[in-house]
Amino acid sequence: MKKLSQTLLTAIEEELQHQVSRLNEEHTATYHEMLTYHMGWTGEGAGEKARGKRIRPLLLLLAASASGGDWEKALPAAAGIELIHNFSLFHDDIQDKSETRRGRPTAWKIWGIAQAINAGDGMFILANLAIGDLAKNYPADIILVGERIFQKTCLDLTRGQHLDIDYESRSDLSVGDYWTMIAGKTAALISTSMQLGALFGGANEETQNAYRDFGHYLGLAFQVQDDILGIWGDEALTGKSAASDLLEGKKSLPVLYGFEKNEEFAQRWKEGSIEEANVPKMAQLLEVEGARLKAQRQADQMTDLALKSLQMANPQDDAGDALFSLAEHLLGREA
Amino acid sequence: MKKLSQTLLTAIEEELQHQVSRLNEEHTATYHEMLTYHMGWTGEGAGEKARGKRIRPLLLLLAASASGGDWEKALPAAAGIELIHNFSLFHDDIQDKSETRRGRPTAWKIWGIAQAINAGDGMFILANLAIGDLAKNYPADIILVGERIFQKTCLDLTRGQHLDIDYESRSDLSVGDYWTMIAGKTAALISTSMQLGALFGGANEETQNAYRDFGHYLGLAFQVQDDILGIWGDEALTGKSAASDLLEGKKSLPVLYGFEKNEEFAQRWKEGSIEEANVPKMAQLLEVEGARLKAQRQADQMTDLALKSLQMANPQDDAGDALFSLAEHLLGREA
């Protein structure tokens, strides 16, 4: 099982390098370098840590294999999904003014905003070209179906991103606004990774939908868990780490429960940004007011729905085992 | 002939509105508004002037019709091309820090850089979805061929944009660098408009290539003509208009000829940015040193090649007449 995932991850990395090498041309060497740097292959600090986990393409290939298909044929789709994910990170870093990612300076810090916007655009186009490469392995009408799903998901991603940026300056947010945002920003791409894997693995529509639902709930559960750790994880509680969502004023799910409750936490939040020394007190207030428990219940419920959907999809063989084990790892993780 | 173009332009505008309406959803109304504003349909100053000329989709539909095809079937491709053009303008305005476009504040000036990057991304995705809509009118394998051409052109666009940004801060540029840059930035999309029109109009490969070449040379000729007018057009010469490329320090073709000559113009350029009062003198120097004549010869040569390619394509009927007349209008225009 571990061995299968490792084989897939190696193949994913090779396919990604093949796809990005499209940009490797004499006149635009720096443009190419911006992408290989961001992907974690070149520049200072290049290596496994700089690359990220490649979770989405791994999920896609496992779904293809667990549906009885040949994962190698689906490799360009896996690369396309990972390139879209990285395209969104590329632009996200500019939008959030983030100066580091995975311990390294972000591309816009090195090459400037103008070039970074353009290189992010290029990453998106490479994703589209990767999806087009599926034409050598599948009939044209299946590819068009896959592309449709893919492009609609990209649109959902930008909807989620629009809301995320919008929420920063808003104080009238509700828990409902939260779900709308993370459905687009976090769950859509994971959900589509699973659906495309099943589609290119040859699953029927019902099974495709079960895989898609698994991805959707996995994405939501993962995000809520991340929100909880961002406040009550070991690092966050010290208040000394950038990981503290309270310090950053992030409107995560527990914070929105605090708004809803409208007691001491909400009162203090309105008084302005939270200082480092007050982070533990604010986290405690939020917990006393029940926000942590509510968020944990949501995470548990989404986890439950995710695993039920995966059982419904009935994934087969080694890839099936690997999917269950990956899901448990992602959903049960600790700080 | 005029009547045909008018019919097409009306249909293009309707198709564009249909495609952009995909974003018209309750939670993300502002996102949708950003796009309808940029397209010139909503907000202060909305109207024909704010919309731009829609040259590229018009060329595409004329090529489809002049190849013996039904232009109505190709409408989603025309919309896709115009959306890509507008996506590039959207990001270009941020990259260049342009505060106005077509006499109105740019989107990023109104909604901020973060949201504008995202809305530009959305414009690109809408273009992809538009191309996907061709599935209702053409066989899947033809669409995949068209998409391939389309995506490769998008990559060329970003290559040209990368060079354009890069050139701003470089002083070692040659005339060769100029052609590489405008081939991607200006000619690629016009060339592809023609090729896709011919493809979806049912032309054979040889004819498609002739249309493509016409678009390529039309784009180059148009850009060189634009460069000449940017220095010796009536407005530019007064030095009082933002249209003066010399005032902006733009490395256009005549300026690069001046660099190549390396006489008084090049000397003075190196001394720092050109003040308004010196614009007429610098334009005169450049003309005396032969740059205007050289650029005009290039424009004439490209125009010649464009018209020869169009003759080779042998466009038929009203649409054919309209193509010749549009080409002459675009190539023979004055300040």
Side-chain angles (χ1 to χ4, degrees), chain A residues 87-97 108 112-114 116-121 124 158 161-162 165, chain B residues 31 34-35 86-87 90-95 107-109 111-125:
Chain A
F87 141 78
S88 79
L89 298 180
F90 221 102
H91 281 178
D92 208 40
D93 285 340
I94 308 169
Q95 290 161 330
D96 291 349
K97 302 187 182 72
W108 72 268
I113 288 178
I117 293 172
N118 188 61
D121 294 341
F124 186 20
T158 63
Q161 184 67 357
H162 174 83
I165 299 167
Chain B
Y31 181 8
M34 290 177 76
L35 270 69
N86 276 281
F87 141 78
F90 220 101
H91 281 179
D92 208 42
D93 285 340
I94 307 170
Q95 290 161 331
W108 72 268
K109 277 301 283 182
W111 288 283
I113 287 176
Q115 289 290 19
I117 293 172
N118 188 62
D121 293 341
M123 189 86 85
F124 188 12
I125 298 162

Side-chain angles (χ1 to χ4, degrees), chain A residues 81-260:
Chain A
I81 285 283
E82 183 65 15
L83 288 167
I84 282 295
H85 175 56
N86 276 282
F87 141 78
S88 79
L89 298 180
F90 221 102
H91 281 178
D92 208 40
D93 285 340
I94 308 169
Q95 290 161 330
D96 291 349
K97 302 187 182 72
S98 305
E99 303 196 351
T100 59
R101 168 165 303 276
R102 300 174 190 140
R104 307 202 298 164
T106 43
W108 72 268
K109 276 299 284 182
I110 301 176
W111 288 283
I113 288 178
Q115 288 292 18
I117 293 172
N118 188 61
D121 294 341
M123 189 86 87
F124 186 20
I125 299 161
L126 290 178
N128 293 333
L129 282 163
I131 300 288
D133 275 356
L134 292 163
K136 62 186 178 211
N137 299 330
Y138 301 95
D141 54 338
I142 301 281
I143 293 170
L144 288 184
V145 170
E147 283 183 343
R148 199 80 178 163
I149 296 167
F150 185 76
Q151 295 297 341
K152 285 193 171 175
T153 298
C154 292
L155 205 57
D156 285 344
L157 263 183
T158 63
R159 280 203 189 95
Q161 184 67 357
H162 174 83
L163 293 174
D164 197 22
I165 299 167
D166 183 45
Y167 288 2
E168 276 169 33
S169 58
R170 278 178 53 187
S171 51
D172 61 334
L173 295 173
S174 72
V175 171
D177 295 317
Y178 173 86
W179 294 115
T180 311
M181 188 268 281
I182 72 160
K185 178 141 178 153
T186 310
L189 199 54
I190 299 178
S191 165
T192 290
S193 303
M194 294 306 300
Q195 189 177 2
L196 290 183
L199 172 73
F200 291 117
N204 64 31
E205 207 162 321
E206 200 185 334
T207 309
Q208 283 176 40
N209 290 344
Y211 276 118
R212 184 197 62 200
D213 290 349
F214 162 67
H216 174 73
Y217 292 120
L218 176 70
L220 295 180
F222 187 83
Q223 184 62 57
V224 175
Q225 197 62 40
D226 201 60
D227 283 4
I228 294 170
L229 289 173
I231 296 177
W232 295 285
D234 273 356
E235 277 200 340
L237 260 185
T238 65
K240 276 178 190 153
S241 157
S244 173
D245 288 352
L246 288 175
L247 212 51
E248 285 181 13
K250 193 176 153 190
K251 281 149 193 160
S252 64
L253 184 60
V255 169
L256 293 178
Y257 279 128
F259 286 4
E260 197 173 69

Side-chain angles (χ1 to χ4, degrees), chain B residues 49-299:
Chain B
K49 202 188 144 225
R51 289 205 297 263
K53 298 199 186 78
R54 313 291 193 223
I55 294 286
R56 292 158 191 80
L58 181 59
L59 284 169
L60 189 149
L61 295 184
L62 287 174
S65 184
S67 307
D70 177 356
W71 61 264
E72 286 194 70
K73 286 189 180 173
L75 270 172
I81 285 283
E82 182 66 14
L83 287 167
I84 282 294
H85 175 57
N86 276 281
F87 141 78
S88 78
L89 299 179
F90 220 101
H91 281 179
D92 208 42
D93 285 340
I94 307 170
Q95 290 161 331
D96 292 348
K97 304 187 179 71
S98 306
E99 303 197 351
T100 58
R101 170 165 302 276
R102 298 174 193 139
R104 311 159 88 206
T106 44
W108 72 268
K109 277 301 283 182
I110 301 177
W111 288 283
I113 287 176
Q115 289 290 19
I117 293 172
N118 188 62
D121 293 341
M123 189 86 85
F124 188 12
I125 298 162
L126 290 178
N128 292 334
L129 283 163
I131 301 288
D133 276 355
L134 292 164
K136 61 185 182 216
N137 299 331
Y138 301 95
D141 54 339
I142 301 278
I143 293 169
L144 288 184
V145 170
E147 284 183 344
R148 200 82 179 161
I149 296 167
F150 184 75
Q151 295 296 341
K152 286 193 171 177
T153 298
C154 291
L155 205 57
D156 285 343
L157 264 183
T158 63
R159 280 203 190 97
Q161 183 69 356
H162 173 82
L163 293 174
D164 197 24
I165 299 167
D166 183 43
Y167 288 2
E168 275 169 33
S169 59
R170 279 177 53 186
S171 51
D172 61 335
L173 295 173
S174 71
V175 170
D177 295 318
Y178 173 86
W179 293 115
T180 310
M181 188 270 282
I182 71 161
K185 180 141 178 154
T186 310
L189 200 56
I190 298 177
S191 164
T192 291
S193 303
M194 294 307 299
Q195 189 177 3
L196 290 182
L199 172 74
F200 292 116
N204 63 30
E205 208 162 320
E206 199 186 333
T207 308
Q208 283 176 41
N209 291 344
Y211 276 117
R212 184 197 62 200
D213 291 348
F214 162 67
H216 175 72
Y217 292 120
L218 176 70
L220 295 181
F222 187 81
Q223 184 61 58
V224 175
Q225 197 60 44
D226 200 58
D227 283 4
I228 295 169
L229 289 174
I231 296 176
W232 295 285
D234 273 355
E235 277 200 342
L237 262 185
T238 64
K240 277 178 190 156
S241 157
S244 172
D245 287 352
L246 289 176
L247 212 52
E248 285 181 12
K250 194 174 152 191
K251 282 148 193 160
S252 64
L253 185 61
V255 169
L256 292 178
Y257 279 129
F259 287 4
E260 200 173 65
K261 190 88 175 177
N262 202 20
E263 292 184 1
E264 199 178 341
F265 174 84
Q267 220 67 40
R268 290 207 185 192
W269 181 284
K270 278 180 208 148
E271 286 164 13
S273 64
I274 299 166
E275 279 172 40
E276 218 167 286
N278 293 328
V279 164
K281 175 67 188 164
M282 288 296 274
Q284 197 197 352
L285 275 176
L286 208 50
E287 184 159 1
V288 169
E289 294 178 14
R292 182 177 184 168
L293 192 63
K294 280 186 198 161
Q296 191 56 56
R297 277 195 194 133
Q298 286 294 336

